[in-house]
Amino acid sequence: GHSTEGKSGAAECEPCAAGQFAGDKGSASCSSCAAGTSTNNKTAATACSACAAGQSTNNQTGAADCSVCGAGSITPEEGMAVCTLCEAGSSTVNTAGATSCTLCSPGSHAPNNGSASCEGCAGGSFSDKNGTVTCTLCSKGSFSIANATMCNLCAPGTFSENDGSAECTLCEAGYSTEGVR
């Protein structure tokens, strides 16, 4: 007969680690979960589950659990391997685990990709539509307060000589704005 000396068979079966699975009876090894799936921190899994929308495995295979997308990034559907940054002009409104980005409202902007929130336009600038990337400066002769959706003309007797003014200046004594445009 054959000698079994120096060789050993398995004395027991071991559970697959979290992030790995064995789908069939008689498996000699465990397989890693695909990117976008995990075992939800369970060991001895027979299958991996898709990450929920708003979560990913950060492109890792063999993930024990899915991670929530940080504010400024999303996964619109389940089973996604990576979170996608919101485009400039939109944000996740300071929410982690978001499934969609929200366009910035008029009076605000988001200059960069991956913004957690939109910023109000500074005084002297405005945004009159949704999804603004950069606020527009008010032209000379007009002004705006912060978060403005439009610029206002300087009142008679006041002026602004530069673009981007947050306020108008009173004419000095002996001067007026009559006839000036």
Side-chain angles (χ1 to χ4, degrees):
H2 294 292
S3 166
T4 57
E5 208 172 307
K7 298 176 183 169
S8 66
E12 62 183 7
C13 296
E14 297 203 328
C16 294
Q20 299 192 320
F21 72 102
D24 303 316
K25 273 189 176 179
S27 292
S29 64
C30 301
S31 304
S32 291
C33 293
T37 68
S38 80
T39 59
N40 299 316
N41 283 324
K42 292 185 181 71
T43 57
T46 56
C48 302
S49 309
C51 294
Q55 301 183 350
S56 82
T57 58
N58 297 316
N59 220 17
Q60 287 182 305
T61 57
D65 204 4
C66 301
S67 307
V68 172
C69 295
S73 65
I74 62 161
T75 54
E77 52 199 49
E78 65 177 27
M80 298 194 73
V82 290
C83 300
T84 309
L85 294 178
C86 290
E87 288 186 19
S90 68
S91 79
T92 57
V93 197
N94 288 321
T95 305
T99 57
S100 65
C101 300
T102 303
L103 289 176
C104 297
S105 57
S108 69
H109 72 292
N112 305 309
N113 290 342
S115 294
S117 63
C118 298
E119 304 161 30
C121 294
S125 67
F126 74 102
S127 153
D128 59 1
K129 63 185 192 307
N130 288 317
T132 298
V133 175
T134 308
C135 299
T136 306
L137 291 179
C138 295
S139 54
K140 57 187 175 187
S142 68
F143 74 101
S144 76
I145 57 170
N147 310 314
T149 57
M150 61 182 278
C151 299
N152 297 303
L153 292 175
C154 292
T158 67
F159 69 101
S160 68
E161 57 188 347
N162 300 310
D163 290 345
S165 293
E167 61 186 10
C168 299
T169 306
L170 288 171
C171 292
E172 292 293 324
Y175 293 81
S176 86
T177 54
E178 191 177 347
V180 180
R181 268 291 150 251

